[in-house]
Amino acid sequence: MRLMVNHQTHYRYTQVARNSVQSIKMMPQSSMHQNIENWHISVPGQYSCQRDAFNNLWITATQRHEYRYLTIMAQGVIDLYATELGYVDIDVSPMLFLQRTAITSCDLTMFDFAQAVVKVKDRKHLVLLSEKILQQVQYQPESTSVTTSAIDAFYAEQGVCQDHAHILIAMCRALQLPARYVSGYIYDENQPHLASHAWAEVFVENEWYCFDVSNQIFTPKNHIYVAVGRDYLDVAPIRGIREQGGVESMMSVVQVLAC
């Protein structure tokens, strides 16, 4: 399947901003699951590209001039192959993904919730756990923020794809199963205008398997992989700092179309 992605992020400031720096992780890479035909990042100012500890491509952009508006755009064409695995090779031991983070902590209630479902540590039981998580935490757009923890989303009983991924990751790590956070895009012919997507992968049966809790999808046939990490903060598409600027507002628009 051949897909075209257009991801635009627009920032607006109530006062003049200057001397800003952005960390941008919006660069997918080719693998056995996907081939990047072309991809381009458009951002004002100067920038350089390197790799982070998880082998994600990472752009650092700087703007020394004054501005009130800033647009960062990523676009390109990607071929997806019908694979059961995402095949993200980051040359990092799966054991690293047993490490808990502030937003992937798991309390005793959540651990008991997971243990009651995962009688055997295999893919089948993790699919069941994903189903139970979605029943417990209903998908509700704009109900949480990027700083919402797995524990907070679990008890709020509502969240978005990021929260579902964090909850599954937290529970799997508590069960001593390595789990990692994946950022990217998903193609849905009925909803071409989607926000950036997130899902989890769990190292089980000696492979990294896809667990998209929000959509109850367990093979990545429509998923474009961009970056992997321990949680959202490792793979945030854009993070930055600036001088002045007053109040910032942001609007993000994403299109994923078949071509």
Side-chain angles (χ1 to χ4, degrees):
M1 178 165 46
R2 192 165 182 259
L3 301 174
M4 180 183 68
V5 177
N6 187 307
H7 184 173
Q8 300 179 32
T9 306
H10 305 279
Y11 294 93
R12 183 174 181 175
Y13 302 93
T14 58
Q15 299 176 14
V16 171
R18 61 172 64 85
N19 294 333
S20 58
V21 180
Q22 289 91 31
S23 167
I24 303 169
K25 295 183 180 178
M26 301 170 68
M27 296 276 288
Q29 301 182 66
S30 293
S31 68
M32 294 176 65
H33 170 68
Q34 61 191 31
N35 177 56
I36 313 305
E37 282 194 25
N38 60 75
W39 193 265
H40 179 68
I41 299 284
S42 175
V43 56
Q46 297 179 325
Y47 63 88
S48 61
C49 187
Q50 57 190 333
R51 293 184 182 273
D52 67 11
F54 304 104
N55 206 37
N56 301 308
L57 289 172
W58 172 20
I59 288 176
T60 301
T62 59
Q63 297 84 34
R64 302 302 182 191
H65 57 279
E66 296 184 345
Y67 61 92
R68 291 279 298 271
Y69 305 93
L70 179 70
T71 294
I72 298 173
M73 184 166 64
Q75 58 184 352
V77 176
I78 298 175
D79 294 306
L80 290 187
Y81 306 124
T83 59
E84 188 174 17
L85 304 174
Y87 290 108
V88 177
D89 182 12
I90 62 174
D91 196 28
V92 171
S93 169
M95 296 303 103
L96 176 64
F97 296 99
L98 286 173
Q99 179 185 357
R100 297 185 187 185
T101 64
I103 53 178
T104 59
S105 293
C106 180
D107 69 7
L108 184 57
T109 299
M110 292 171 64
F111 182 54
D112 289 342
F113 181 99
Q115 278 194 313
V117 178
V118 183
K119 304 295 186 182
V120 179
K121 295 180 183 179
D122 60 15
R123 190 180 177 197
K124 175 184 175 182
H125 284 81
L126 292 178
V127 169
L128 292 175
L129 179 60
S130 299
E131 294 171 356
K132 294 295 185 182
I133 290 172
L134 186 58
Q135 292 171 14
Q136 170 72 19
V137 183
Q138 298 293 312
Y139 185 87
Q140 183 62 47
E142 300 181 2
S143 58
T144 56
S145 73
V146 296
T147 60
T148 300
S149 70
I151 291 174
D152 288 344
F154 181 81
Y155 288 109
E157 299 186 1
Q158 60 182 2
V160 295
C161 57
Q162 171 186 295
D163 303 299
H164 290 146
H166 281 155
I167 291 168
L168 180 62
I169 289 168
M171 290 181 177
C172 285
R173 289 175 183 166
L175 293 168
Q176 293 302 299
L177 289 168
R180 64 190 185 185
Y181 186 99
V182 185
S183 68
Y185 306 99
I186 185 170
Y187 170 67
D188 184 339
E189 62 181 2
N190 298 315
Q191 299 184 66
H193 294 274
L194 293 172
S196 298
H197 193 45
W199 59 98
E201 286 196 329
V202 183
F203 193 74
V204 61
E205 299 169 6
N206 210 37
E207 293 286 1
W208 284 106
Y209 284 103
C210 165
F211 292 88
D212 183 343
V213 176
S214 299
N215 294 299
Q216 292 294 288
I217 296 174
F218 307 104
T219 55
K221 60 180 180 179
N222 292 338
H223 293 66
I224 297 171
Y225 285 66
V226 174
V228 300
R230 295 164 300 173
D231 59 25
Y232 169 82
L233 296 179
D234 281 339
V235 303
I238 304 173
R239 299 179 71 183
I241 58 173
R242 69 179 191 278
E243 287 184 9
Q244 302 181 344
V247 178
E248 176 187 88
S249 59
M250 186 270 286
M251 180 183 69
S252 182
V253 180
V254 179
Q255 272 189 311
V256 182
L257 303 170
C259 59

